[in-house]
């Protein structure tokens, strides 16, 4: 009885410790996650569909906004399981939590369930719960358990717990080979977990392939395996079912894939052979299928077509020994398309940063399992651990993202160190010292993760074959312009990563998208990106084919000739000067059918002109060194673009960026003096860079040096006459100095540039109201009415001034004009409500406040006022 109570208490203690570890791993992810309000590339596209589920919207069968104009067959080509779970659970259970916050917490917590699975599998293999706890502890604090999750929205964060559950259940089912019911139950549940992973993440099939090869070794080496493999049909049932009904895999002939065929074949062999010891025949039959499969499968090439980018990349990496060849023609487009980022091979910094300590400790623990016993008799647990460590070590050296699998098995092997200590061998003190030292090193790295990541970011990015595509305020400037100047149905051609973000955060149709799981997407990307390196007439054909309205050009389309560039991807390392990329970069005025409408430091937005549409007068844009022709000297007699100046310009840009980014951080910390020093260093490199003039003015304004602030705000406006923030900051200073005339003049000028921004009219009106110069304000607004096209905000705030003067009839006339200009503006009905309150017409006031709330429910003050008015009414 006492022993039973001790066991119960011990179990409760382990449960509490595991919950603490799961909580700790979740906390680490949440702490390093960021705000989760901006996802990049394919994560942005997936988030788009999750958000649709959260809003109760139906996912279209064909999404016309993706791969415009034909559209993307969403349910056929994209796994939506994770998006449905997250979106639906948010809508049904936690609708009051902002969706971006909910995604961050869900992803962080759910992915941390892998900690529990490390514990269970390690305990099963080493037959010791203390060892299982040590393995779980190392998984909890290890960088590979969280650094791909933080700040991202990836399928693996949802699928990995199911994959690890599947192999854990499979292993637990075979611990006692004499209990058939246990084998049947665990294999069925294992197959079910695998099925969920398969409908959640396309790379689950890759893991399934690795697992199928393990099954071959297990089938051959274990004499008793024939009996066990006769239960493999239960494992296959859920997998075959989803292979039939789940469109993203059934449409790609998943049932003809290697892991499915191989597992079925092993099951059939087991059903045919009752003799447990006929190892030679089993071996021959098991291995004979492999060459036969790859010969016969050519009759059904669809599976390899869809997943060709994965297979071809792995083969290419082996052929080229993990080094991307200088000549892109040596690789297929499919291999080039994903041989970057997470599909790159790990470099020394990546290995040291995340895997060196776990790998070293795991090797010691793994070797401790290879006792003489292992070679004398079959041991499933030792075979399991040995196979997956070796297999995923090799695969990790080819593809860095596979560290999520390798790290899982390494942490299980780390538990073997504790096994050595329990056995009290001669070196147990040394092993304990190594274990504690490794733990402290991993803790240090995790506690200082952001600092270390920032320090080694550029080296890591170089190893990952990835480059940032935008700097500073580029993204904000780009998206704000698109929202203000394009229509919701205007299709945009941009690079694949930016395209997905434009769809999700701006709601514009996109021509290409970054989820390369299907051949259609890859073919479209190749066609569109290659067109940038063709002459304008050829590019225009593609534009008309896909009904493009705007083209977003990036500086790296031309300037980047690295192995991660679009030039390498499309096999255009040499770029002709008559190509669209060159003309959009250096000679936009020479284009006949494209007009430059907006520019940031790294992006340019071109409008596609119709046949009869004339170009507007040339506009002035913010300075960008990337588009400065003087910095890229070219020989007019040369046919191709000369890259020789690019490295020098890039080094200057990076130097300016280091000062610029540091200065903006100091500005946020209110360290204005040091921020000014770094901003001035930026100006020494480039005469104007990003928003340096504006931020210098802001620093001096915060320090109450208003003349210096006005000087830099003027410089910002002269550099870019549409700098809204600079105008407003200048008007604020002039107003504070009592200079109403100049402050009002600045705001009037700003209104003429941005006539739809209602806040500007409000600021102008308040300038006159707080000085009790209402008549002067009305005259100013009437001058604006004479010089600007009628807009709802202009009439609305003119009406406010009349209402403030108590000229309610004229106020009502202006409010009616505002309503005629825009009947969906909630501010108009709020204004009518306030007007009727002044007139003491309660019923009309309530009706208009209700209409305002109907158009914009997020108005708490109006809600309170409305409740008070309704109480008075009754």
């Amino acid at each position: 009885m006492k022993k039973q109570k001790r066991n119960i208490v011990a179990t409760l203690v382990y449960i509490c410790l595991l919950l603490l570890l799961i909580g700790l791993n979740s906390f680490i992810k949440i702490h390093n996650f960021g705000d989760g309000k901006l996802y990049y590339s394919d994560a942005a596209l997936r988030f788009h569909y999750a958000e649709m589920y959260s809003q109760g919207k139906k996912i279209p069968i064909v999404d016309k906004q993706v791969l415009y104009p034909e559209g993307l067959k969403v349910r056929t080509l994209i796994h939506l399981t994770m998006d449905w779970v997250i979106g639906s659970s948010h809508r049904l259970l936690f609708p009051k939590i902002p969706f971006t916050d909910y995604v961050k917490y869900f992803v962080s917590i759910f992915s941390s369930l892998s900690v529990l699975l490390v514990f269970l599998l390690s305990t099963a293999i080493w037959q010791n719960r203390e060892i299982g706890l040590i393995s779980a502890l190392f998984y909890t604090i290890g960088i590979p358990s969280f650094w791909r999750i933080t700040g991202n929205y990836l399928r693996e964060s949802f699928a990995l717990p199911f994959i690890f559950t599947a192999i854990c259940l499979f292993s637990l089912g075979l611990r006692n080979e004499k209990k058939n019911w246990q084998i049947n139950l665990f294999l069925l549940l294992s197959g079910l977990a695998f099925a969920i992973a398969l409908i959640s993440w396309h790379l689950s099939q890759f893991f399934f392939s690795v697992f199928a090869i393990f099954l071959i070794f297990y089938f051959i080496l274990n004499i008793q395996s024939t009996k066990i493999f006769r239960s493999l049909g239960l494992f296959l049932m859920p997998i075959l079912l989803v292979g039939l009904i789940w469109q993203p895999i059934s449409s790609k002939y998943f049932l003809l894939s290697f892991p499915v065929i191989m597992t079925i074949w092993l099951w059939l062999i087991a059903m045919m052979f009752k003799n447990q010891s006929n190892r030679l025949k089993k071996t021959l039959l098991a291995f004979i299928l492999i060459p036969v499969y790859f010969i016969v499968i050519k009759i059904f090439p669809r599976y390899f077509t869809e997943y060709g980018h994965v297979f071809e990349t792995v083969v290419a990496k082996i052929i080229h020994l993990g080094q991307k060849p200088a000549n892109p023609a040596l690789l297929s487009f499919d291999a080039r398309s994903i041989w970057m980022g997470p599909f790159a091979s790990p470099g020394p910094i990546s290995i040291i940063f995340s895997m060196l300590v776990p790998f070293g400790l795991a090797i010691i623990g793994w070797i401790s399992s290879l006792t003489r016993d292992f070679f004398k008799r079959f041991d499933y647990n030792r075979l399991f651990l040995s196979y997956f460590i070796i297999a995923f070590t090799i695969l990790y050296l080819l593809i860095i993202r596979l560290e999520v699998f390798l790290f899982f098995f390494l942490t299980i092997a780390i538990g073997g160190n504790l096994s050595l200590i329990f056995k009290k061998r001669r070196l147990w003190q040394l092993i304990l010292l190594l274990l504690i030292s490794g733990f402290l090193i991993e803790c240090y790295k995790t506690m200082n993760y952001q600092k270390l990541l920032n320090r080694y970011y550029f080296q890591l990015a170089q190893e990952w074959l990835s480059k940032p595509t935008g700097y500073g305020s580029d993204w904000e400037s780009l998206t704000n312009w698109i929202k203000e100047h394009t229509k919701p149905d205007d299709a945009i051609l941009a690079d694949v990563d930016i395209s997905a973000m434009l769809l999700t955060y701006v709601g514009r149709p996109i021509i290409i998208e970054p989820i390369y799981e299907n051949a259609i997407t890859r073919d479209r990307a190749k066609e569109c990106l290659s067109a940038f390196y063709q002459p304008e007439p050829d590019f225009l054909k593609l534009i008309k084919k896909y009904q493009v309205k705007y083209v977003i050009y990036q500086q790296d389309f031309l300037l980047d000739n690295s192995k991660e560039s679009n030039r390498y991807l499309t096999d255009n390392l040499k770029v002709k000067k008559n190509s669209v990329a060159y003309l959009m970069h250096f000679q936009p005025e020479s284009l006949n059918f494209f007009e430059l409408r907006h520019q940031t430091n790294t992006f340019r937005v071109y409008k596609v002109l119709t046949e009869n549409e004339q170009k507007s007068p040339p506009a002035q844009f913010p300075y960008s060194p990337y588009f400065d022709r003087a910095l890229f000297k070219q020989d007019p007699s040369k046919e191709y673009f000369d890259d020789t100046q690019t490295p020098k310009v890039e080094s200057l840009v990076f130097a300016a960026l280091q000062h610029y980014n540091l200065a903006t951080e100091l500005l946020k910390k209110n360290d204005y003096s040091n921020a000014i020093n770094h901003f001035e260093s930026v100006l020494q490199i480039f005469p104007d860079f990003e928003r340096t003039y504006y931020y210098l003015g802001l620093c001096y304004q915060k320090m109450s040096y208003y003349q210096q602030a006005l000087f830099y705000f003027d410089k910002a406006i002269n550099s870019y006459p549409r700098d809204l923030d600079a105008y407003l900051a200048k008007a604020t200073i002039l107003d504070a100095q009592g200079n109403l005339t100049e402050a009002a003049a600045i705001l009037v000028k700003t209104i003429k540039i941005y006539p739809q921004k209602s806040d500007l009219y409000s600021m102008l009106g308040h300038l006159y109201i707080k000085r009790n110069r209402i008549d002067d304000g009305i005259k100013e607004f009437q001058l604006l009415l004479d010089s600007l096209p009628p807009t709802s905000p202009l009439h609305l705030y003119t009406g406010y001034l009349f209402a403030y003067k108590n000229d309610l009839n004229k106020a009502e006339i202006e409010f009616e004009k505002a309503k005629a200009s825009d009947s969906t503006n909630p501010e108009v009905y709020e204004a009518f409500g306030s007007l009727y309150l002044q007139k003491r017409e309660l019923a009309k006031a309530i009706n208009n406040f209700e209409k305002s709330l109907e158009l914009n429910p997020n108005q708490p003050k109006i809600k309170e006022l409305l409740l008070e008015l309704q109480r008075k009414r009754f």
Side-chain angles (χ1 to χ4, degrees):
M1 190 69 177
K2 289 182 179 180
K3 185 177 180 181
Q4 188 177 7
K5 286 184 178 179
R6 283 198 299 270
N7 289 336
I8 293 172
V9 171
T11 301
L12 291 174
V13 169
Y14 277 104
I15 290 172
C16 291
L17 290 173
L18 284 171
L19 289 174
L20 282 173
L21 292 181
I22 292 171
L24 176 60
N25 191 247
S26 301
F27 172 78
I28 291 170
K29 291 170 183 173
I30 293 167
H31 177 71
N32 292 292
F33 202 95
D35 57 19
K37 292 181 179 178
L38 189 66
Y39 293 107
Y40 180 70
S41 190
D42 51 338
L45 186 60
R46 297 184 186 106
F47 178 81
H48 168 68
Y49 291 116
E51 193 170 37
M52 288 181 70
Y53 279 120
S54 171
Q55 295 166 353
K57 297 178 181 178
K58 185 178 180 181
I59 306 297
I61 296 174
V62 178
D63 190 343
K64 294 289 187 178
Q65 285 202 307
V66 188
L67 297 183
Y68 186 88
E70 303 97 311
L72 175 73
K73 296 179 180 178
V74 184
R75 297 177 183 276
T76 302
L77 299 175
I78 296 180
H79 294 292
L80 295 173
T81 310
M82 175 182 177
D83 310 323
W84 175 81
V85 170
I86 291 180
S88 300
S89 61
H90 173 258
R91 186 180 76 254
L92 297 173
L93 302 176
F94 305 99
K96 293 184 179 180
I97 300 176
F99 186 60
T100 52
D101 292 341
Y102 180 76
V103 169
K104 174 172 69 174
Y105 285 102
F106 183 98
V107 165
S108 300
I109 295 170
F110 190 87
S111 62
S112 297
L113 294 177
S114 296
V115 172
L116 172 63
L117 299 163
V118 169
F119 169 79
L120 293 174
L121 196 52
S122 181
T123 300
I125 287 175
W126 298 105
Q127 297 294 296
N128 186 290
R129 288 191 295 189
E130 287 83 0
I131 293 178
L133 199 63
I134 291 296
S135 296
L137 179 61
F138 272 90
Y139 187 89
T140 298
I141 62 168
I143 286 177
S145 75
F146 66 84
W147 74 335
R148 278 183 54 80
I149 304 296
T150 55
N152 221 332
Y153 182 73
L154 300 175
R155 296 281 190 255
E156 67 190 58
S157 61
F158 183 78
L160 284 176
F162 288 105
I163 291 175
F164 297 150
T165 296
I167 60 173
C168 185
L169 290 169
F170 196 94
S171 301
L172 291 173
L174 302 183
R175 282 183 62 190
N176 191 343
E177 298 177 355
K178 295 181 181 179
K179 295 182 179 179
N180 289 334
W181 69 269
Q182 188 183 66
I183 295 174
N184 293 340
L185 176 62
F186 279 104
L187 263 59
L188 176 63
L189 294 174
S190 175
L192 182 61
F194 249 126
I196 296 173
L198 288 167
I199 64 173
S200 303
W201 186 31
H202 73 285
L203 212 60
S204 299
Q205 291 191 43
F206 184 83
F207 184 89
F208 189 24
S209 297
V210 178
F211 185 74
I213 296 172
F214 164 74
L215 291 180
I216 296 173
F217 286 109
Y218 174 62
F219 183 73
I220 293 167
L221 294 176
N222 185 10
I223 296 176
Q224 303 296 322
S225 66
T226 302
K227 173 186 174 183
I228 298 165
F229 271 69
R230 284 202 291 272
S231 299
L232 207 57
L234 292 169
F235 170 79
L236 283 165
M237 281 173 55
I239 294 172
L240 297 178
L241 181 62
V242 298
L244 284 170
I245 65 174
W246 190 253
Q247 290 186 40
I249 57 178
S250 66
S251 63
K252 299 172 186 176
Y253 297 94
F254 167 69
L255 294 182
L256 295 177
S257 66
F258 171 76
V260 171
I261 298 298
M262 194 71 241
T263 309
I264 292 174
W265 180 242
L266 294 175
W267 175 59
L268 291 174
I269 295 173
M271 296 300 289
M272 288 188 294
F273 284 89
K274 304 296 183 182
N275 188 350
Q276 302 287 339
S277 60
N278 204 334
R279 179 175 293 181
L280 180 59
K281 288 184 180 179
K282 287 168 56 180
T283 303
L284 291 174
L285 283 171
F287 277 115
I288 200 172
L289 180 68
I290 298 175
V292 171
Y293 171 80
F294 286 103
I295 293 170
V296 174
I297 200 64
K298 289 188 175 182
I299 302 171
F300 304 99
R302 179 70 182 276
Y303 178 75
F304 284 95
T305 300
E306 293 294 339
Y307 290 98
H309 61 307
V310 177
F311 298 124
E312 290 188 30
T313 302
V314 173
V315 172
K317 278 175 166 284
I318 295 171
I319 292 173
H320 297 283
L321 302 176
Q323 297 298 312
K324 216 171 181 180
N327 182 4
L330 296 177
L331 298 175
S332 67
F333 177 83
D334 282 348
R336 277 180 260 147
S337 68
I338 63 167
W339 191 341
M340 60 184 70
F343 280 89
S345 299
I349 301 295
S350 304
I351 293 172
I352 293 170
F353 192 62
S354 67
M355 296 294 285
L356 185 61
V357 171
F359 191 82
L361 293 175
I363 291 300
I364 298 171
W366 170 51
I367 290 174
S368 74
S369 72
L370 303 180
T371 59
R372 294 177 183 177
D373 246 358
F374 174 79
F375 297 100
K376 289 182 179 180
R377 65 181 181 85
F378 176 81
D379 187 321
Y380 170 83
N381 293 330
R382 300 330 189 240
L383 172 67
F384 177 90
L385 190 59
S386 300
Y387 169 80
F388 281 106
I389 286 178
I390 294 170
F392 278 111
T393 296
I394 296 169
L395 291 169
Y396 164 69
L397 293 174
L398 292 174
I399 300 175
I400 191 172
R401 76 181 301 183
L402 297 181
E403 71 177 2
V404 293
F405 296 123
L406 175 60
F407 184 66
F408 178 84
F409 296 105
L410 290 181
T411 53
I412 293 172
I414 287 173
N417 289 278
L418 202 61
S419 177
L420 283 175
I421 295 172
F422 288 156
K423 292 175 182 177
K424 296 184 179 181
R425 295 187 177 182
R426 292 179 182 178
L427 299 177
W428 74 269
Q429 296 96 335
L430 177 61
I431 299 299
L432 182 60
L433 179 63
L434 289 173
L435 204 59
I436 294 173
S437 300
F439 174 74
L440 293 176
I441 291 171
E442 293 300 283
C443 284
Y444 171 81
K445 289 193 299 182
T446 297
M447 291 171 65
N448 296 276
Y449 170 70
Q450 288 295 341
K451 187 186 296 184
L452 292 170
L453 187 64
N454 292 335
R455 182 183 300 174
Y456 297 106
Y457 175 75
F458 287 107
Q459 295 96 311
L460 290 169
Q462 188 175 8
E463 291 183 356
W464 298 336
L465 306 181
S466 62
K467 287 189 175 182
T469 55
Y471 302 103
S473 57
D474 277 21
W475 173 249
E476 182 182 358
S477 173
L478 177 68
T479 53
N480 286 342
W481 188 91
I482 292 172
K483 289 174 183 177
E484 291 177 11
H485 295 88
T486 68
K487 299 175 183 177
D489 59 348
D490 285 342
I492 296 177
L493 173 61
D495 200 10
V496 286
D497 299 321
I498 297 300
S499 291
M501 299 171 73
L502 291 173
L503 170 72
T504 301
Y505 300 110
V506 191
R508 298 299 185 265
I510 57 175
I511 310 302
I512 54 181
E513 58 95 359
I515 298 181
Y516 281 175
E517 296 172 16
N518 61 86
I520 296 171
T521 294
R522 299 195 296 275
D523 291 342
R524 175 71 69 87
K526 180 181 180 182
E527 177 189 17
C528 291
L529 295 176
S530 297
F532 278 94
Y533 305 99
Q534 302 301 316
E536 186 179 10
D538 295 329
F539 187 71
L540 187 62
K541 291 177 183 177
L542 179 131
I543 294 299
K544 290 181 177 179
K545 176 181 177 182
Y546 294 120
Q547 303 171 30
V548 178
K549 295 297 177 64
Y550 290 89
V551 176
I552 296 180
Y553 172 83
Q554 293 178 203
Q555 55 84 16
D556 56 2
F557 280 12
L558 178 67
L559 299 185
D560 188 359
N561 65 354
S562 69
K563 296 176 184 178
E564 299 77 63
S565 66
N566 280 336
R567 287 169 60 180
Y568 185 95
L569 176 66
T570 59
D571 194 8
N572 284 286
L573 289 182
K574 294 178 69 177
V575 181
K576 289 186 176 182
K577 290 181 180 177
N578 69 340
S579 67
V580 168
Y582 185 88
L583 298 178
M584 284 188 168
H585 199 105
F586 289 121
Q587 299 174 6
E589 69 283 352
S590 67
L591 293 163
N592 297 314
F593 297 97
F594 302 90
E595 181 183 33
L596 179 59
R597 289 291 181 88
H598 184 65
Q599 177 179 301
T600 71
N601 193 43
T602 56
F603 297 111
R604 277 181 163 176
V605 182
Y606 285 87
K607 184 181 188 298
V608 180
L609 301 176
T610 58
E611 290 184 8
N612 300 321
E613 189 175 0
Q614 298 296 318
K615 284 189 176 182
S616 306
Q620 186 176 352
F621 300 105
Y623 173 78
S624 169
Y626 285 122
F627 300 113
D628 188 344
R629 299 183 198 181
L631 297 177
F632 299 88
K633 297 177 182 179
Q634 299 293 309
D635 185 345
S637 64
K638 296 289 181 66
E639 181 183 6
Y640 293 94
F641 169 60
D642 183 1
D643 282 309
T644 53
Q645 297 297 317
T646 303
K648 180 181 177 181
V649 175
E650 282 196 329
S651 65
L652 289 173
V653 172
F654 278 115
L657 275 171
Q658 284 183 324
H659 287 292
Y660 185 85
N661 292 335
L662 181 56
T664 54
E665 287 300 316
L666 291 168
L667 178 58
K668 292 176 184 176
K669 296 175 181 177
N670 302 326
D671 189 353
Y672 305 120
S673 297
N674 284 322
I676 288 171
N677 292 334
H678 284 285
F679 280 128
E680 288 176 343
S681 296
V682 173
L683 294 180
Q684 290 175 6
I685 301 172
F686 293 112
D688 184 14
F689 185 81
E690 290 251 340
R691 310 194 68 200
T692 305
Y693 286 137
Y694 167 72
Y695 283 133
L696 271 169
L698 192 60
C699 286
Y700 283 113
Q701 183 185 14
K702 296 289 187 181
M703 297 170 71
S704 300
Y705 296 146
Y706 297 118
Q707 290 309 117
Q708 294 95 322
L710 288 172
F711 171 79
Y712 281 111
F713 289 142
D714 282 334
K715 295 275 283 184
I717 291 169
N718 291 333
S719 173
Y720 181 48
R722 296 180 59 85
D723 193 333
L724 176 61
D725 292 330
Y727 282 115
L728 296 181
K730 183 177 180 181
T732 301
I733 292 176
L734 292 171
D735 178 34
Q737 292 176 341
N739 195 337
L740 173 64
T741 304
E742 286 193 35
I746 290 292
L747 286 175
V748 167
K749 185 177 181 179
T750 312
I751 286 170
K752 290 179 178 179
I753 299 172
Y754 296 100
Q756 294 296 335
K757 287 190 175 294
S758 60
D759 290 349
L760 298 177
Y761 300 97
S762 176
M763 290 179 66
L764 181 60
H766 278 95
L767 280 181
Y768 291 99
I769 290 173
K770 67 183 179 181
R771 287 176 173 80
N772 199 26
R773 292 173 59 178
I774 309 303
D775 288 335
D776 290 338
I778 290 172
K779 288 178 183 178
E780 191 72 75
F781 271 85
Q782 286 175 333
L783 289 172
L784 283 171
L785 285 168
D786 293 336
S787 61
L788 288 175
T791 62
S792 181
L794 180 53
H795 286 294
L796 180 65
Y797 284 92
T798 304
Y800 275 135
L801 285 174
F802 280 119
Y804 195 86
K805 190 182 176 182
N806 211 32
D807 192 341
L808 301 184
N809 290 332
K810 288 185 178 179
E812 188 169 9
I813 291 171
E814 292 300 327
F815 291 159
E816 287 291 351
K817 291 179 180 179
K819 182 179 177 181
S821 294
D822 184 4
S823 61
T824 62
N825 186 353
E827 288 186 73
V828 172
Y829 298 97
E830 180 187 351
F832 271 119
S834 300
L835 178 71
Y836 290 127
L837 271 184
Q838 282 184 266
K839 288 185 171 185
R840 298 186 178 181
E841 297 180 23
L842 192 59
K844 287 185 177 181
I846 290 174
N847 289 338
N848 279 280
F849 283 134
E850 287 177 342
K851 180 65 176 177
S852 180
L853 276 177
E854 181 184 329
L855 292 169
N856 179 17
N858 188 25
Q859 298 185 84
K861 290 184 178 179
I862 300 296
K863 287 180 182 178
E864 290 178 15
L865 177 60
L866 193 57
L867 287 172
E868 185 179 342
L869 292 176
Q870 287 170 340
R871 282 196 296 268
K872 288 181 180 179
R873 185 179 184 181
F874 296 105

